[in-house]
Amino acid sequence: MKLLLIEDEKALATSIQNYFQRENFICEWAADYRTAVEKINIYRYDCVLVDLMLPDGDGLDAVRELKRNFPETGIIIISAKNSLDDRITGLNLGSDDYLTKPFHLSELNARVQAVIRRRSFQGSQQIRFGKIQIDPQEHLVLVDQQEIVLTRKEYDLLVYLIANKNRVLTKESIAEHLWGDDADLMDNFDFIYTHIKNLRKKLMDKGCPDYLKSIYGVGYKFSEQ
């Protein structure tokens, strides 16, 4: 899963980034409003963490920008401002949650996980697609109750494909989701084929139907049809 953290306090931002990277998230950071708007207009995120008080703008304007361009993105406001008006405004703009500083990172993680489940997997604790069952807390993948051992990137790829089932995904969007800003440094995205091939083989070796459809010249679609 991919997060964007909009936060101007470097020490807090570093702590949050390190925590979520240990939890196997890609967590990008924007330290100001300008950078945040650039990122949310170029890239797609599963959830965005927004501080309201930024040095060059208002975090609520970033929320408005997100809801206008990517309404499906989860949003959690993290702020030292604890007034009822700020909470109501943020929630009315479409944010999913509001967490007042200071907070425990484990609580922030739980709220992020809950938002992603609601947004991408209808609130379910388990991710299911056809014969595939995923337990996100344990990073466990089963096909017909048989465990499949996946690399971290294969696991992230599978969750991303299921979250976007029946949609055509380009190689570029897959690379950007799995590698974040590092995808901009890549000369091509041919290596995506290797990850797709390995994931498909592991699934089918356990008796899973071939849900991965290649869309010639475009990318891939994960579908039962």
Side-chain angles (χ1 to χ4, degrees):
M1 296 285 103
K2 186 176 178 184
L3 308 179
L4 173 63
L5 170 63
I6 305 173
E7 169 61 62
D8 65 320
E9 295 181 40
K10 184 176 181 180
L12 176 59
T14 300
S15 178
I16 292 174
Q17 268 195 305
N18 290 341
Y19 178 88
F20 278 105
Q21 286 168 356
R22 289 194 299 271
E23 293 295 313
N24 293 325
F25 283 83
I26 289 175
C27 186
E28 297 180 3
W29 175 38
D32 53 54
Y33 177 79
R34 181 186 60 81
T35 304
V37 170
E38 286 179 359
K39 283 183 172 292
I40 62 182
N41 282 316
I42 296 174
Y43 306 114
R44 295 186 63 178
Y45 300 92
D46 296 292
C47 188
V48 178
L49 311 176
V50 184
D51 182 20
L52 295 185
M53 295 184 290
L54 300 172
D56 58 341
D58 189 339
L60 290 175
D61 289 331
V63 173
R64 291 185 182 96
E65 189 79 12
L66 267 168
K67 298 310 294 185
R68 181 164 53 247
N69 295 323
F70 301 105
E72 71 281 3
T73 300
I75 302 172
I76 298 177
I77 293 175
I78 53 172
S79 178
K81 300 173 73 175
N82 192 27
S83 74
L84 180 60
D85 287 346
D86 287 322
R87 287 172 173 268
I88 291 174
T89 300
L91 294 171
N92 283 341
L93 284 175
S95 63
D96 297 274
D97 206 345
Y98 193 114
L99 187 59
T100 304
K101 300 176 182 176
F103 48 76
H104 292 288
L105 293 177
S106 57
E107 180 182 3
L108 177 60
N109 181 31
R111 294 186 184 223
V112 167
Q113 298 277 8
V115 167
I116 291 174
R117 285 197 302 269
R118 289 198 302 269
R119 288 281 178 175
S120 300
F121 305 111
Q122 295 76 51
S124 176
Q125 295 283 352
Q126 303 285 316
I127 301 171
R128 299 177 186 273
F129 183 89
K131 292 189 175 185
I132 301 170
Q133 179 180 342
I134 302 174
D135 183 338
Q137 296 299 318
E138 301 294 332
H139 279 222
L140 178 67
V141 180
L142 304 173
V143 171
D144 282 341
Q145 302 305 310
Q146 303 174 83
E147 182 177 354
I148 298 179
V149 178
L150 301 179
T151 66
R152 175 181 168 182
K153 289 302 182 187
E154 290 166 354
Y155 175 88
D156 291 344
L157 174 60
L158 178 59
V159 172
Y160 182 57
L161 290 168
I162 294 176
N164 292 276
K165 58 183 180 293
N166 302 319
R167 298 178 183 173
V168 177
L169 301 172
T170 65
K171 292 179 182 178
E172 291 83 357
S173 67
I174 293 172
E176 184 264 318
H177 188 87
L178 296 182
W179 278 270
D181 288 340
D182 291 341
D184 292 337
L185 306 176
M186 298 171 180
D187 294 329
N188 62 67
F189 304 103
D190 293 344
F191 63 92
I192 294 294
Y193 170 74
T194 301
H195 289 282
I196 292 285
K197 181 183 69 174
N198 291 341
L199 176 61
R200 175 187 276 131
K201 183 177 187 304
K202 289 182 179 182
L203 291 172
M204 294 183 68
D205 282 350
K206 296 294 186 180
C208 186
D210 188 6
Y211 299 133
L212 263 166
K213 318 298 181 186
S214 298
I215 310 300
Y216 182 75
V218 180
Y220 301 93
K221 182 169 71 170
F222 206 70
S223 172
E224 292 188 87
Q225 299 179 349

